[in-house]
Amino acid sequence: IVVWVGFFILLPWGNQFPKIQWEDLHNNSIPNTTFGEIIITLWKSPREDHNEGPTGCPIEQAWCFYTPMIHLAQFLTSAVLIGIGYPSCNVMSYTLYSKILGPKPQGVYMGWLTASGSAARILGPVFISQLYTSWGPRWAFSLVCGIVVLTILLLVAVYKR
């Protein structure tokens, strides 16, 4: 439930939209100036860090125009909740799985559980990042909330066992 609350908080709320990365027009022509004028212009121009990348939502992502931005407080709160909830769930799932397997040798079965968890940690971010890029944070985080609710419901269904 703590993990679900963390992802629920990550859903975009409010009416403040993100900045959009509009493409700037650049003049690629070379002006007719003397060498002295170029040196003076370079000497007087303020030092700028040109290593900064563009900020804001890319123009190619249409969802940026109608999806509110996620605020820093939302992100930090959800990061703390997910950071607390995920390790607890992971430890409890391994413990429950070992109790379900019983006293027989568990090495192969625990290996399959670990392998499936590793595959999910590899493929999950790839899938969610594609979904996020195409459809935005509402769809991505709603899908994760749905998966967590489904997991909670399955745990409630098999609780007596």
Side-chain angles (χ1 to χ4, degrees), residues 118-148:
S118 298
R121 282 189 295 277
I122 292 169
L123 298 176
V126 173
F127 173 72
I128 286 296
S129 65
Q130 289 297 317
L131 185 74
Y132 185 93
T133 302
S134 300
W135 295 94
R138 277 196 179 134
W139 283 92
F141 298 136
S142 294
L143 178 67
V144 174
C145 282
I147 291 171
V148 173

Side-chain angles (χ1 to χ4, degrees), residues 8 20 59:
F8 186 77
I20 306 294
I59 190 73

Side-chain angles (χ1 to χ4, degrees), residues 93-116:
S93 67
Y94 274 91
T95 305
L96 284 172
Y97 192 62
S98 69
K99 295 297 179 188
I100 290 170
L101 289 176
K104 60 185 172 186
Q106 300 178 1
V108 173
Y109 297 110
M110 294 300 269
W112 282 110
L113 179 64
T114 303
S116 64

Side-chain angles (χ1 to χ4, degrees), residues 24-143:
D24 294 330
L25 295 175
H26 297 287
N27 185 359
N28 292 330
S29 63
I30 300 173
N32 288 333
T33 55
T34 64
F35 180 72
E37 289 173 336
I38 293 173
I39 297 297
I40 290 173
T41 304
L42 291 175
W43 184 264
K44 289 183 179 180
S45 67
R47 304 279 187 245
E48 295 180 11
D49 186 13
H50 295 286
N51 294 332
E52 285 186 21
T55 59
C57 198
I59 190 73
E60 298 87 23
Q61 297 176 351
W63 56 265
C64 295
F65 294 106
Y66 56 84
T67 304
M69 63 186 286
I70 296 172
H71 298 282
L72 182 62
Q74 279 179 276
F75 175 74
L76 293 176
T77 305
S78 66
V80 167
L81 290 173
I82 295 168
I84 290 170
Y86 177 75
S88 304
C89 291
N90 200 13
V91 168
M92 283 190 275
S93 67
Y94 274 91
T95 305
L96 284 172
Y97 192 62
S98 69
K99 295 297 179 188
I100 290 170
L101 289 176
K104 60 185 172 186
Q106 300 178 1
V108 173
Y109 297 110
M110 294 300 269
W112 282 110
L113 179 64
T114 303
S116 64
S118 298
R121 282 189 295 277
I122 292 169
L123 298 176
V126 173
F127 173 72
I128 286 296
S129 65
Q130 289 297 317
L131 185 74
Y132 185 93
T133 302
S134 300
W135 295 94
R138 277 196 179 134
W139 283 92
F141 298 136
S142 294
L143 178 67

